[in-house]
Amino acid sequence: MITRDATADDVPQMSAFLMRLTEMGKRTRPSDEKFVLDHYINGAEKIQCALAEDDGMVLGFQWLGFAIEGNEFGVEPGWGIIGTHVNPNAARRGVGKALFTKTLAAAKAAGLRKIDATIGADNAEGLGYYEAMGFRTYRTPAGKVCKRYDVAS
Protein backbone atom coordinates (compact mmCIF):
# COMPACT_ATOMS: atom_id res chain seq x y z
CA MET A 1 0.00 0.00 0.00
CA ILE A 2 1.23 3.48 -0.85
CA THR A 3 -0.19 6.85 0.11
CA ARG A 4 -0.07 9.89 -2.16
CA ASP A 5 -2.11 12.93 -3.11
CA ALA A 6 -5.34 12.15 -4.97
CA THR A 7 -5.67 13.48 -8.52
CA ALA A 8 -8.44 13.92 -11.05
CA ASP A 9 -7.44 10.54 -12.54
CA ASP A 10 -8.57 8.88 -9.28
CA VAL A 11 -12.07 10.35 -9.36
CA PRO A 12 -13.84 7.42 -11.11
CA GLN A 13 -12.61 4.89 -8.53
CA MET A 14 -13.23 7.25 -5.62
CA SER A 15 -16.78 7.92 -6.79
CA ALA A 16 -17.51 4.24 -7.44
CA PHE A 17 -16.69 3.12 -3.93
CA LEU A 18 -18.45 6.13 -2.39
CA MET A 19 -21.57 5.03 -4.28
CA ARG A 20 -21.15 1.54 -2.80
CA LEU A 21 -20.92 3.07 0.67
CA THR A 22 -24.15 4.97 -0.06
CA GLU A 23 -25.87 1.74 -1.17
CA MET A 24 -24.69 0.09 2.06
CA GLY A 25 -26.24 2.92 4.10
CA LYS A 26 -22.84 4.21 5.25
CA ARG A 27 -22.87 7.53 3.39
CA THR A 28 -25.49 10.23 2.81
CA ARG A 29 -23.52 12.94 0.98
CA PRO A 30 -23.26 13.06 -2.83
CA SER A 31 -20.97 10.47 -4.41
CA ASP A 32 -21.05 11.27 -8.11
CA GLU A 33 -17.85 12.08 -10.02
CA LYS A 34 -18.66 15.78 -10.30
CA PHE A 35 -19.01 16.11 -6.50
CA VAL A 36 -15.81 14.15 -5.90
CA LEU A 37 -13.88 16.32 -8.35
CA ASP A 38 -15.38 19.64 -7.21
CA HIS A 39 -15.17 18.96 -3.47
CA TYR A 40 -12.35 16.52 -2.73
CA ILE A 41 -9.91 17.31 -5.56
CA ASN A 42 -10.54 20.96 -6.48
CA GLY A 43 -12.38 22.37 -3.45
CA ALA A 44 -11.32 25.86 -2.41
CA GLU A 45 -11.00 24.89 1.29
CA LYS A 46 -8.88 21.79 0.56
CA ILE A 47 -5.57 21.43 2.33
CA GLN A 48 -4.97 17.89 1.13
CA CYS A 49 -6.72 14.84 -0.22
CA ALA A 50 -4.54 11.85 0.66
CA LEU A 51 -5.17 8.58 -1.15
CA ALA A 52 -4.11 5.01 -0.39
CA GLU A 53 -3.73 2.52 -3.21
CA ASP A 54 -2.45 -0.95 -3.83
CA ASP A 55 -1.63 -2.20 -7.32
CA GLY A 56 -3.74 0.51 -8.93
CA MET A 57 -6.80 -0.04 -6.72
CA VAL A 58 -7.92 2.92 -4.59
CA LEU A 59 -8.23 1.62 -1.04
CA GLY A 60 -9.42 4.88 0.50
CA PHE A 61 -8.90 8.58 0.81
CA GLN A 62 -8.88 11.23 3.49
CA TRP A 63 -9.78 14.85 2.83
CA LEU A 64 -8.57 17.70 5.03
CA GLY A 65 -9.77 21.25 4.59
CA PHE A 66 -10.03 24.59 6.33
CA ALA A 67 -13.23 25.35 8.23
CA ILE A 68 -14.55 28.62 6.85
CA GLU A 69 -17.22 30.94 8.25
CA GLY A 70 -20.68 29.39 7.88
CA ASN A 71 -19.44 25.86 7.03
CA GLU A 72 -22.09 23.16 6.93
CA PHE A 73 -20.71 21.37 10.00
CA GLY A 74 -20.71 24.38 12.32
CA VAL A 75 -16.98 24.01 12.90
CA GLU A 76 -15.09 27.02 14.23
CA PRO A 77 -13.37 28.90 11.39
CA GLY A 78 -9.65 28.24 11.31
CA TRP A 79 -9.95 24.64 12.46
CA GLY A 80 -9.48 21.77 10.04
CA ILE A 81 -12.28 19.50 8.88
CA ILE A 82 -11.49 15.87 8.04
CA GLY A 83 -13.38 13.18 6.14
CA THR A 84 -12.21 9.58 5.81
CA HIS A 85 -13.54 7.15 3.23
CA VAL A 86 -12.36 3.54 2.96
CA ASN A 87 -13.26 1.24 0.09
CA PRO A 88 -15.44 -1.59 1.46
CA ASN A 89 -13.03 -4.03 -0.22
CA ALA A 90 -10.16 -2.67 1.88
CA ALA A 91 -11.69 -2.50 5.35
CA ARG A 92 -9.51 -3.54 8.31
CA ARG A 93 -6.23 -3.28 6.35
CA GLY A 94 -4.73 -0.23 8.07
CA VAL A 95 -5.82 2.18 5.35
CA GLY A 96 -7.18 4.79 7.76
CA LYS A 97 -4.07 4.75 9.93
CA ALA A 98 -1.79 5.16 6.89
CA LEU A 99 -3.89 8.03 5.59
CA PHE A 100 -3.95 9.83 8.92
CA THR A 101 -0.15 9.80 9.11
CA LYS A 102 -0.04 11.75 5.83
CA THR A 103 -2.96 13.99 6.81
CA LEU A 104 -1.49 14.89 10.20
CA ALA A 105 1.73 16.04 8.51
CA ALA A 106 -0.36 18.25 6.19
CA ALA A 107 -2.31 19.65 9.16
CA LYS A 108 0.90 20.60 10.93
CA ALA A 109 2.34 22.16 7.75
CA ALA A 110 -0.87 24.21 7.35
CA GLY A 111 -0.61 25.46 10.94
CA LEU A 112 -3.85 23.86 12.13
CA ARG A 113 -4.32 23.62 15.88
CA LYS A 114 -7.51 21.54 15.88
CA ILE A 115 -9.28 19.16 13.46
CA ASP A 116 -12.99 18.32 13.55
CA ALA A 117 -14.48 15.01 12.46
CA THR A 118 -18.28 15.11 12.31
CA ILE A 119 -19.61 11.55 12.26
CA GLY A 120 -23.10 10.13 12.13
CA ALA A 121 -24.09 9.00 15.62
CA ASP A 122 -25.01 5.58 14.19
CA ASN A 123 -21.65 5.09 12.43
CA ALA A 124 -19.90 2.82 14.93
CA GLU A 125 -16.98 2.12 12.57
CA GLY A 126 -16.30 5.81 11.98
CA LEU A 127 -16.63 6.68 15.66
CA GLY A 128 -14.24 3.87 16.59
CA TYR A 129 -11.73 4.88 13.92
CA TYR A 130 -11.53 8.52 14.98
CA GLU A 131 -11.32 7.55 18.65
CA ALA A 132 -8.42 5.19 17.84
CA MET A 133 -6.64 8.03 16.00
CA GLY A 134 -6.87 10.24 19.10
CA PHE A 135 -9.98 12.31 18.37
CA ARG A 136 -12.21 13.05 21.36
CA THR A 137 -15.89 13.98 21.48
CA TYR A 138 -16.50 17.68 22.11
CA ARG A 139 -20.11 18.17 21.01
CA THR A 140 -23.11 16.10 19.96
CA PRO A 141 -25.60 17.88 17.71
CA ALA A 142 -28.72 15.90 16.73
CA GLY A 143 -27.73 12.66 15.02
CA LYS A 144 -24.02 13.51 14.98
CA VAL A 145 -20.94 13.15 17.12
CA CYS A 146 -18.25 15.79 16.66
CA LYS A 147 -14.77 14.71 17.59
CA ARG A 148 -11.76 17.00 17.91
CA TYR A 149 -8.08 16.28 17.43
CA ASP A 150 -5.59 18.67 19.04
CA VAL A 151 -2.67 19.00 16.64
CA ALA A 152 0.70 19.17 18.41
CA SER A 153 3.28 21.25 16.61
Side-chain angles (χ1 to χ4, degrees), residues 43-125:
E45 291 84 33
K46 179 183 103 172
I47 296 169
Q48 176 180 269
C49 186
L51 181 133
E53 72 172 338
D54 187 20
D55 200 24
M57 182 177 107
V58 174
L59 304 176
F61 67 95
Q62 189 166 67
W63 181 87
L64 177 68
F66 289 108
I68 60 168
E69 189 71 41
N71 67 78
E72 67 182 287
F73 301 107
V75 175
E76 184 175 324
W79 284 30
I81 296 175
I82 193 171
T84 305
H85 313 282
V86 176
N87 188 325
N89 295 333
R92 313 301 295 169
R93 290 179 47 186
V95 173
K97 185 175 183 181
L99 289 169
F100 190 61
T101 298
K102 187 167 178 62
T103 298
L104 185 55
K108 289 177 180 180
L112 294 179
R113 299 187 67 148
K114 299 183 184 306
I115 304 171
D116 170 272
T118 298
I119 308 124
D122 61 349
N123 182 348
E125 293 165 325

Side-chain angles (χ1 to χ4, degrees), residues 12-48:
Q13 279 196 68
M14 293 165 71
S15 174
F17 86 72
L18 289 176
M19 287 185 192
R20 281 200 49 223
L21 291 172
T22 300
E23 291 167 3
M24 296 167 69
K26 295 183 175 196
R27 179 176 172 83
T28 58
R29 299 193 74 201
S31 302
D32 60 275
E33 289 186 18
K34 181 178 182 344
F35 179 83
V36 172
L37 183 65
D38 291 350
H39 182 72
Y40 296 122
I41 304 298
N42 296 329
E45 291 84 33
K46 179 183 103 172
I47 296 169
Q48 176 180 269

